């Protein structure tokens, strides 16, 4: 049996994405190209590797064996890339790539750069703003070294095999109040409020759902945004209340007339850093940046 490692990586993408179409998007291929690669893999393996169901692609027993093999190959390649890039010298050198979202970039990563430059002048820290799913795929492939994740109130599941999470910080969710609207003092005061909805893939969307359960009634949602600066602009226009993490408020200029309410029971947003945890990972350069990042986060004055 001669199985193509490339086709194994395609099967792994289908498994992680949950379907052919989503895998095609993550791999920058057409769905038909992904389907063709799966068919060729099944021919090579002499077994069906996925079952197509209304809820997505599900691995067969043979598919699970091949996915486990693909993960081991991916880990070995990531280790090889890092070992090739590592320079045996008394001074840390090299590039460390961090993928993150806007609030963490502004409040944590950008201030960290000055410290890195002073303590490790041989390191080149490269910051990318990006969405979580493609960033995690690149982390597994060894193209990114660290990815910052956000979750609502410690809902971060265990990291997949070959990866590890380091808690970075917890920050409060805050109610952002439009101009000329009453300031809430308890969660009960929020029952009749109209809210700016948040993109469904964000921690804020989960926090709004949790808030709805806490106050015992569905929230009235109007408009939807992803970028927190846009959310603040909508609140400033009187379009609704918003639920934002503390770093989003601290890193943005609060419009005149917009108020902030810190209420018991709103919960927290958890930030964590995910890195590879295979043989030799994280390397010295990545570990050094991670240590500075943790120090930077610990120094933040959060209420």
């Amino acid at each position: 049996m001669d199985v193509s490692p490339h086709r194994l990586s395609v099967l792994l993408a289908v498994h992680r994405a949950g379907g052919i179409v989503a895998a095609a998007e993550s791999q920058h291929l057409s769905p038909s190209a992904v389907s063709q690669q799966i068919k060729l893999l099944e021919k090579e393996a002499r077994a069906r590797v996925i079952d197509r169901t209304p809820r997505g692609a599900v691995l067969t027993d043979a598919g699970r064996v091949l996915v486990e093999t693909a993960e081991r190959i991916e880990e070995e390649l990531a280790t090889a890339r890092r070992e090739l890039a590592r320079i045996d010298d008394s001074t840390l050198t090299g590039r460390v790539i961090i993928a993150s979202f806007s609030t963490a970039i502004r409040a944590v990563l950008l201030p960290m750069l000055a410290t890195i430059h002073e303590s490790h002048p041989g390191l080149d820290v490269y910051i990318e703003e990006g969405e979580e799913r493609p960033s995690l795929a690149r982390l597994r492939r060894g193209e990114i070294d660290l990815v910052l994740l956000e979750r609502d109130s410690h809902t971060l599941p265990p990291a997949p095999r070959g990866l590890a999470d380091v808690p970075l910080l917890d920050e409060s969710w805050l109610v952002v109040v439009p101009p000329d609207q009453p300031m809430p003092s308890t969660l009960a005061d929020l029952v009749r409020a109209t809210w700016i909805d948040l993109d469904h893939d964000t921690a804020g969307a989960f926090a709004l759902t949790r808030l709805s359960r806490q106050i015992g009634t569905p929230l009235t949602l109007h408009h939807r945004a992803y970028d927190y600066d846009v959310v603040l602009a909508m609140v400033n226009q009187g379009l609704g209340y918003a639920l934002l993490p503390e770093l989003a408020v601290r890193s943005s200029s609060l419009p005149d007339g917009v108020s902030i309410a810190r209420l018991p029971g709103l919960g927290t947003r958890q930030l964590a850093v995910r890195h590879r945890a295979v043989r030799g990972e994280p390397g010295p350069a990545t570990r050094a940046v991670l240590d500075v990042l943790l120090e930077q986060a610990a120094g933040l004055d959060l209420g």
Side-chain angles (χ1 to χ4, degrees):
M1 182 179 64
D2 186 13
V3 175
S4 163
H6 170 68
R7 292 183 185 118
L8 287 179
S9 69
V10 174
L11 176 63
L12 184 58
V14 171
H15 169 59
R16 288 174 177 164
I20 298 291
V21 174
E25 182 178 350
S26 70
Q27 299 296 300
H28 305 290
L29 297 171
S30 67
S32 61
V34 172
S35 295
Q36 181 66 20
Q37 291 297 309
I38 295 299
K39 289 178 182 178
L40 290 172
L41 178 61
E42 290 178 329
K43 184 177 180 180
E44 291 172 343
R46 300 175 185 175
R48 192 175 70 255
V49 298
I50 62 171
D51 288 326
R52 293 171 173 82
T53 72
R55 301 183 66 178
V58 178
L59 293 176
T60 63
D61 289 342
R64 279 190 287 273
V65 171
L66 293 177
V67 159
E68 290 174 0
T69 301
E71 288 179 333
R72 289 195 295 271
I73 292 173
E74 185 179 61
E75 291 172 3
E76 291 292 337
L77 288 174
T79 299
R81 290 190 188 98
R82 299 304 300 168
E83 290 178 351
L84 289 171
R86 191 173 297 136
I87 298 175
D88 185 14
D89 192 89
S90 59
T91 301
L92 285 175
T93 60
R95 169 174 285 193
V96 176
I97 303 176
I98 309 175
S100 183
F101 43 92
S102 61
T103 54
I105 289 175
R106 291 175 179 174
V108 183
L109 296 185
L110 293 182
M112 179 195 71
L113 292 180
T115 303
I116 287 288
H117 180 71
E118 181 178 349
S119 60
H120 302 292
L123 292 182
D124 175 22
V125 177
Y126 188 90
I127 298 172
E128 293 188 6
E129 182 181 13
E131 295 182 2
E132 182 175 303
R133 181 177 291 180
S135 294
L136 289 176
R138 295 183 61 203
L139 175 69
R140 279 191 169 275
R141 294 196 297 267
E143 300 170 0
I144 288 177
D145 301 292
L146 299 170
V147 177
L148 269 67
L149 308 175
E150 63 158 4
R151 294 294 186 270
D152 171 50
S153 292
H154 299 273
T155 58
L156 190 68
R161 179 173 172 268
L163 301 173
D165 292 335
V166 179
L168 185 62
L169 61 86
D170 291 347
E171 55 175 323
S172 300
W173 289 107
L174 305 175
V175 176
V176 187
V177 183
D180 303 322
Q181 291 297 315
M183 284 287 290
S185 56
T186 67
L187 295 186
D189 296 335
L190 303 173
V191 170
R192 299 186 182 279
T194 296
W195 295 86
I196 307 297
D197 197 7
L198 297 171
D199 187 270
H200 289 170
D201 290 332
T202 64
F206 288 93
L208 283 172
T209 299
R210 180 172 50 80
L211 177 61
S212 176
R213 293 196 300 267
Q214 287 177 273
I215 64 178
T217 184
L219 300 183
T220 301
L221 302 172
H222 195 56
H223 305 289
R224 180 186 298 168
Y226 176 84
D227 185 271
Y228 287 149
D229 286 340
V230 174
V231 175
L232 285 173
M234 289 180 170
V235 174
N236 190 41
Q237 289 293 313
L239 301 182
Y241 289 69
L243 191 64
L244 294 183
E246 187 164 353
L247 287 185
V249 176
R250 288 165 55 102
S251 61
S252 300
S253 178
L254 201 64
D256 293 338
V258 173
S259 304
I260 301 297
R262 187 187 300 271
L263 304 180
L266 283 178
T268 59
R269 180 175 77 159
Q270 180 188 31
L271 303 189
V273 187
R274 182 164 290 180
H275 62 80
R276 290 183 299 279
V278 294
R279 191 169 61 250
E281 296 283 359
T286 301
R287 171 55 64 183
V289 172
L290 180 57
D291 288 344
V292 175
L293 182 58
L294 292 171
E295 291 176 5
Q296 185 71 35
L300 290 174
D301 182 20
L302 299 177

